[in-house]
Amino acid sequence: MSDKTLMLPVVGMTCANCATNVERNVRKLDGVQDASVNFASERLTLVYDDALLKTGAIVERVRKAGYDVAQQTVDLAITGMDCVNCAANVERALAKTDGVLEVNVNFATEHATVTLAAGTPRDSLVAAVEKAGYSVVQAENEDALEDAEQAARQAEIRRNVQRVLIGVLFTLPLFMLSMGRDIGLWGDWAHAAWVNVLFWALATPVQFGVGRDFYSGGYKSLRGGAANMDVLIALGSSVAYIYSVIVTLGLLGGHVYFETSAMIITLVTTGTLLESVAKGRTSEAIKKLMGLRAKTARVIRDGEPVDIPVEHVRAGDIVLVRPGEKIPVDGLVREGYSAIDESMITGESLPVDKGPGDPVIGATINKQGAFKFEATRVGTETALAQIIRLVEQAQGSKAPIQRLADRVSAVFVPMVVSVALVTFLAWIVGTGEFTPSMIRMIAVLIIACPCAMGLATPTAIMVGMGKGAESGILFKNSESLERAQKLTAVVLDKTGTITRGEPRVTDVVTAAAWDESRLLALAASAERGSEHPLGEAIVHAAQDRALALSEPQQFEAVTGQGVRAEVDGHSVLVGNMALMTEHTIHLNGLEAEAQRLQAEAKTVMWLAVDGQASGVIALADTIKDGSVETVQRLHDMGITVVMMTGDNRPTAEAIARQAHIDRVFAEVKPGDKAAYVRQLQDEGYTVGMVGDGINDAPALAQADVGIAIGTGTDVAIEAADVTLIGGDLRGVPRAIALSKSTVRSIKQNLFWAFGYNVILIPIAAGVLAPFAWAPAILRHLHPILAAFAMAASDVCVIGNSLRLRGAKLD
């Protein structure tokens, strides 16, 4: 078995039941392990065995269910084919590629025409051809492929605009004439028989032209074994239309309701249009990320810079970047120095200095000097491409909170039809009046809204995920987004998470008559030849203070003790107490200061000049910027903060005191970290684990929510539920705040969606009719008002989700 994951953009869905219908049909295919349709993003995500099932069969099943997959046709110019068998080989290779629906390779023209699902990367087609032993001429514009799905959505919106315009063109005069007749505005002529025929003529284009999609959608839905919103609209409008036709033909006496059927279809179509536009705004974060990509790259070819499309850059290419330009792909700097604005990827507000050997990220902006870098990750392997893919996959996943809405949506339409029939029977038995009973039945059919329930969760998830991506917070799936707001304890790894993970000079204590800067300069000059991390930290401290350093003479590293050197004619010793003891150095009363610094869990380096102790330098792994603020924000959220480290307890407790951390797990072996997370879970905590190393991966996986620092290892990021791209620990409370805001929006949406239906369906059925205190508009809810309310409910849910874009995370 070879399981593959495939995402297909599905078009033609009008409500949550459509999504359920697609899921149900696709799951019937042999080889499908899992299938999930996100109605808000209109994407089908499925896991299947490619040995049993091909992409074309999946698309065919979607079509059989009454929907379609957004497609694009790509033309590839093939080189290296010698005969028709070569063409057949290329055709088979392309046919096996995920997302490919149809392939035709013409040996005579040496071209392959490939029909594929919109969004399928062109690079995968090129890779398949090259794997088969042939080559592709790189001349096509990939932007057309990437924009195919957006073009399909825009075409759908334009079509809905046309439907609305046609609906208004016929419905507005029909409505004005009908209402004017009802209130006696037009005189006796308005009651002539031919006026009903005019109404019939105006209503028919709306019923079967504008409303054609409701009939076809309802038929396809029923054929697939389900019922969707189209069924309700088609039933409700058809009842009013057919009844009016019967009256117009003189087979029944009474009032015609052509304006009701036309208004229902026009209003609902208008709502569908507004919904499509609003849904498009929920994916703006992805569009913004895609817009960050560079279009071209300046690559060194034969010693000369050549501008080429960015999709043609290959790993190993040397790329030249000038000031103000976007970096096209990921890579390593080989020549030159610059400062890079990485805020769009990492959230880091200040430019980051780069030099030879430093990594650069595609789509970031070169602010200063020109430099050359070697491309290491291109195409779908770049950090930005991975972020986009992760966000798209996460947006397409279903949150646990959505299960209730899914269960209700599955039986919603049959239940509403049943309520409508009961309403009709109850009123006709109770009153003996056919027309009012029919009107109430129509109102029940029209006011019911399964879409609002189906949109409640996925729209909020999409906007929340997008907001997170813009803030440097990536959720692996919607379940982790929902679960993060439940955290009651957060475990922070110390080294590299709370602290910088490297020693820094924290204190310089001098003996009498010695200047601090002069002492540090001597120590740093002596350590210039050392490769020890403590020595390098002393040199960096001197450089940060812009101190002038000398070149040491007679340098000697003393294993386990320190260094000995001649600096500016002075004999200098820098090291631990053992080095001082071996050379019988007089300590000049500095012992108390050294003990104080050691009690603070700092490493003490002694400095002796010409046989006399001149000072002590304290070093420690210092706390990162933002760590204290992060802990305080977590406390404000009522979350217990725990630090876990392999360091000794005195060092761990010293860091914990500085950061105001609640609990400390010290001297923890790498293999035991997951056990300590489990211990907290056994104590009743819902635990979030934050780490960045390979040894953190088991604990990240054990935690209820694993949060990886994005500057850490790929293993940790893979094991985590949430990734903080920039490595800023302040992203932890931001992620939790985003989770809280998103879940709150989901609950508001579900409350509105369920509340809307629970309250208004009975009102449409006439439960308030006997009560004189109730407003007349509610005692006799007209189907036109029901259609307006139904259309507005979807837009309200999406609008509430869009409010997340302005959520404050700090």
Side-chain angles (χ1 to χ4, degrees), residues 91-210:
E91 196 166 290
R92 278 193 296 269
L94 288 170
K96 293 178 181 178
T97 305
D98 286 345
V100 171
L101 310 179
E102 186 177 354
V103 184
N104 179 39
V105 179
N106 189 318
F107 173 62
T109 60
E110 294 187 283
H111 272 70
T113 303
V114 187
T115 303
L116 59 152
T120 303
R122 185 178 182 276
D123 285 352
S124 63
L125 305 179
V126 176
V129 173
E130 291 177 346
K131 187 176 180 180
Y134 306 92
S135 298
V136 177
V137 177
Q138 301 283 9
E140 289 79 7
N141 182 0
E142 192 165 312
D143 287 342
L145 179 59
E146 293 171 350
D147 293 340
E149 185 178 351
Q150 182 179 356
R153 306 297 181 215
Q154 291 300 320
E156 190 174 353
I157 289 175
R158 287 195 298 271
R159 185 166 167 274
N160 281 331
V161 169
Q162 293 174 351
R163 291 171 64 203
V164 169
L165 291 176
I166 293 172
V168 170
L169 179 65
F170 286 95
T171 301
L172 189 59
L174 171 60
F175 181 77
M176 293 178 66
L177 287 171
S178 179
M179 291 298 103
R181 181 173 70 175
D182 290 347
I183 62 176
L185 188 62
W186 307 124
D188 293 338
W189 67 265
H191 296 276
W194 66 267
V195 175
N196 283 350
V197 176
L198 173 63
F199 290 174
W200 186 3
L202 290 171
T204 300
V206 179
Q207 188 70 34
F208 300 108
V210 178

Side-chain angles (χ1 to χ4, degrees), residues 471-485:
S471 306
I473 303 165
L474 299 182
F475 289 88
K476 181 177 288 186
N477 50 48
S478 55
E479 184 175 357
S480 59
L481 176 62
E482 179 184 338
R483 199 165 51 227
Q485 54 93 27

Side-chain angles (χ1 to χ4, degrees), residues 126-405:
V126 176
V129 173
E130 291 177 346
K131 187 176 180 180
Y134 306 92
S135 298
V136 177
V137 177
Q138 301 283 9
E140 289 79 7
N141 182 0
E142 192 165 312
D143 287 342
L145 179 59
E146 293 171 350
D147 293 340
E149 185 178 351
Q150 182 179 356
R153 306 297 181 215
Q154 291 300 320
E156 190 174 353
I157 289 175
R158 287 195 298 271
R159 185 166 167 274
N160 281 331
V161 169
Q162 293 174 351
R163 291 171 64 203
V164 169
L165 291 176
I166 293 172
V168 170
L169 179 65
F170 286 95
T171 301
L172 189 59
L174 171 60
F175 181 77
M176 293 178 66
L177 287 171
S178 179
M179 291 298 103
R181 181 173 70 175
D182 290 347
I183 62 176
L185 188 62
W186 307 124
D188 293 338
W189 67 265
H191 296 276
W194 66 267
V195 175
N196 283 350
V197 176
L198 173 63
F199 290 174
W200 186 3
L202 290 171
T204 300
V206 179
Q207 188 70 34
F208 300 108
V210 178
R212 179 180 57 188
D213 283 2
F214 296 122
Y215 287 102
S216 61
Y219 168 74
K220 293 171 184 176
S221 176
L222 293 172
R223 189 180 63 183
N228 61 5
M229 181 194 75
D230 293 338
V231 173
L232 297 179
I233 303 305
L235 277 175
S237 62
S238 294
V239 168
Y241 178 85
I242 292 171
Y243 173 80
S244 301
V245 170
I246 293 172
V247 171
T248 301
L249 293 175
L251 302 177
L252 279 178
H255 191 282
V256 294
Y257 291 92
F258 285 119
E259 84 289 350
T260 299
S261 66
M263 282 294 291
I264 287 171
I265 289 175
T266 301
L267 283 172
V268 174
T269 303
T270 303
T272 302
L273 170 62
L274 295 175
E275 179 187 314
S276 298
V277 173
K279 279 196 298 183
R281 295 177 62 193
T282 63
S283 60
E284 282 183 359
I286 286 289
K287 295 174 186 175
K288 190 179 296 182
L289 287 173
M290 290 180 172
L292 293 176
R293 291 175 293 191
K295 302 298 182 184
T296 61
R298 187 170 293 109
V299 179
I300 305 299
R301 295 278 166 86
D302 298 325
E304 296 293 330
V306 179
D307 289 335
I308 63 173
V310 70
E311 57 265 24
H312 296 172
V313 178
R314 294 290 175 258
D317 281 344
I318 300 299
V319 184
L320 173 63
V321 183
R322 296 171 181 168
E325 293 181 341
K326 281 185 179 180
I327 297 171
V329 296
D330 298 358
L332 294 174
V333 177
R334 293 305 182 207
E335 295 180 25
Y337 295 86
S338 186
I340 308 298
D341 179 2
E342 297 182 341
S343 59
M344 65 286 297
I345 301 293
T346 67
E348 173 61 50
S349 58
L350 297 176
V352 181
D353 292 333
K354 300 289 183 178
D358 290 332
V360 291
I361 305 172
T364 57
I365 299 174
N366 180 26
K367 301 293 287 186
Q368 294 182 353
F371 65 91
K372 295 178 181 178
F373 74 93
E374 178 184 347
T376 56
R377 294 183 178 183
V378 299
T380 58
E381 296 179 352
T382 64
L384 180 62
Q386 291 176 5
I387 289 169
I388 292 172
R389 184 166 61 252
L390 180 60
V391 175
E392 285 180 332
Q393 290 174 351
Q395 287 182 333
S397 61
K398 283 190 176 181
I401 199 171
Q402 191 175 346
R403 292 170 187 158
L404 175 61

Side-chain angles (χ1 to χ4, degrees), residues 490-495 498-499 641-645 649 651-657 659 661-666 668:
V490 169
V491 179
L492 303 175
D493 176 56
K494 182 183 81 71
T495 306
I498 298 175
T499 64
V641 183
V642 182
M643 185 176 74
M644 182 158 55
T645 179
R649 182 160 291 279
T651 300
E653 290 181 345
I655 295 294
R657 283 193 298 273
I661 289 171
D662 303 304
R663 294 176 63 175
V664 177
F665 293 144
V668 178

Side-chain angles (χ1 to χ4, degrees), residues 525-722:
S525 297
E527 291 283 7
R528 289 184 75 176
S530 172
E531 295 180 355
H532 194 281
L534 296 180
E536 292 177 348
I538 292 174
V539 174
H540 289 155
Q543 291 173 339
D544 290 343
R545 299 190 188 190
L547 302 179
L549 304 184
S550 302
E551 196 66 36
Q553 292 85 37
Q554 300 180 5
F555 173 84
E556 180 187 356
V558 183
T559 304
Q561 295 183 358
V563 300
R564 181 170 50 231
E566 292 289 329
V567 180
D568 296 337
H570 296 285
S571 175
V572 179
L573 296 173
V574 184
N576 56 23
M577 179 59 74
L579 184 64
M580 301 297 107
T581 302
E582 181 177 323
H583 289 80
T584 61
I585 300 297
H586 185 267
L587 300 181
N588 281 335
L590 293 170
E591 300 96 318
E593 287 295 327
Q595 290 174 0
R596 176 183 65 82
L597 293 170
Q598 287 172 336
E600 295 175 1
K602 297 174 181 177
T603 300
V604 173
M605 299 284 282
W606 287 83
L607 174 63
V609 181
D610 297 330
Q612 293 288 321
S614 305
V616 291
I617 300 174
L619 302 98
D621 184 6
T622 56
I623 292 179
K624 278 184 178 180
D625 294 338
S627 292
V628 175
E629 180 186 341
T630 294
V631 174
Q632 183 57 51
R633 284 207 63 202
L634 291 173
H635 284 159
D636 293 342
M637 293 177 174
I639 295 173
T640 300
V641 183
V642 182
M643 185 176 74
M644 182 158 55
T645 179
D647 278 356
N648 60 72
R649 182 160 291 279
T651 300
E653 290 181 345
I655 295 294
R657 283 193 298 273
Q658 293 178 51
H660 309 296
I661 289 171
D662 303 304
R663 294 176 63 175
V664 177
F665 293 144
E667 301 173 8
V668 178
K669 296 178 181 179
D672 294 339
K673 289 189 174 184
Y676 280 95
V677 171
R678 194 179 304 112
Q679 175 185 324
L680 288 171
Q681 291 170 328
D682 292 341
E683 292 176 20
Y685 288 103
T686 302
V687 182
M689 171 68 195
V690 184
D692 69 340
I694 292 176
N695 60 356
D696 295 325
L700 290 169
Q702 173 64 39
D704 296 283
V705 178
I707 304 174
I709 301 296
T711 50
T713 67
D714 289 342
V715 176
I717 294 172
E718 183 65 27
D721 301 298
V722 184

